[in-house]
Amino acid sequence: MRTKIGGLTAAVCVVGMAATAQAGVLEFGDKDEWFADVGPVTTIDFTGFENGVFITDQFEELGVLFTDGDDNIAFSCPSLPNDCWGLDGNEGIHLAFLTPQRWIAVDFPGIVQFELYSEGQLIYTSSLFGAGVGLFAGLVSTEPFDMARIADPFDDNVAIDDLHFGVPAPGAIWLFGLAALLPARRRRH
């Protein structure tokens, strides 16, 4: 495709694309498919707290910290249909994982977009998921990530019903890598 945009603009675009290289990530909108593709997961359903409690390090024993300090427990049966409890994130939900992760997913109302980070560097920005209630969005990454941000780019507020994350078994990593190589090998022949 040819577009006349001027030499300087074209150079900036090329540099910008190179600087934002994306990790190899599979995106899932189907909960059953995501759970079938990943191994054991940790699920946080946000029950057991009173409405409005701010969440920071309460799930540290499960391997995750909520680092922005203004995410609070929400109770809303229409919006959070799994169990009526969830997390209300202001300006997005920022997660720091105590060990690098390979997959993350949320049940949510509204719209969500993920950003995955490794050692402070953005490695992936997902597609937009959603527009409704009782939705699911999941990612499986070839590169480990230690931080994630979940946000709605159209609204200052984002909510999640349940959070799922985990590190795959070594065999799952090998199979994911093998699956990524197969299409490339077919093209060469």
Side-chain angles (χ1 to χ4, degrees):
M1 170 168 72
R2 291 181 180 251
T3 305
K4 187 171 184 167
I5 55 177
L8 181 59
T9 305
V12 170
C13 289
V14 171
V15 170
M17 288 188 299
T20 59
Q22 300 277 304
V25 174
L26 295 176
E27 296 185 347
F28 293 80
D30 183 281
K31 189 173 188 173
D32 292 334
E33 286 181 15
W34 185 83
F35 274 100
D37 280 5
V38 302
V41 300
T42 298
T43 295
I44 297 174
D45 63 13
F46 303 105
T47 59
F49 296 94
E50 293 204 22
N51 192 34
V53 169
F54 286 95
I55 299 298
T56 54
D57 62 357
Q58 290 92 330
F59 297 102
E60 184 174 11
E61 73 278 357
L62 297 178
V64 65
L65 300 170
F66 293 79
T67 60
D68 53 6
D70 62 356
D71 304 325
N72 59 291
I73 296 295
F75 180 82
S76 175
C77 289
S79 296
L80 306 168
N82 288 359
D83 53 24
C84 300
W85 293 96
L87 191 67
D88 183 9
N90 298 301
E91 303 282 330
I93 297 169
H94 296 81
L95 308 167
F97 295 100
L98 302 181
T99 59
Q101 304 295 303
R102 295 279 185 154
W103 50 60
I104 185 170
V106 293
D107 298 287
F108 68 98
I111 296 173
V112 297
Q113 184 174 44
F114 296 88
E115 292 176 350
L116 304 180
Y117 295 84
S118 178
E119 298 178 4
Q121 297 297 311
L122 178 66
I123 61 168
Y124 188 76
T125 301
S126 77
S127 303
L128 294 175
F129 291 91
V133 174
L135 302 173
F136 177 85
L139 306 177
V140 177
S141 177
T142 58
E143 293 184 39
F145 55 91
D146 53 17
M147 293 188 312
R149 179 175 183 262
I150 304 166
D152 177 345
F154 305 110
D155 190 347
D156 287 343
N157 199 21
V158 65
I160 58 175
D161 196 335
D162 292 346
L163 170 67
H164 314 279
F165 60 94
V167 180
I173 294 170
W174 181 82
L175 287 174
F176 188 74
L178 179 62
L181 291 175
L182 288 177
R185 293 188 71 148
R186 286 187 197 131
R187 282 190 292 254
R188 289 185 196 148
H189 290 110

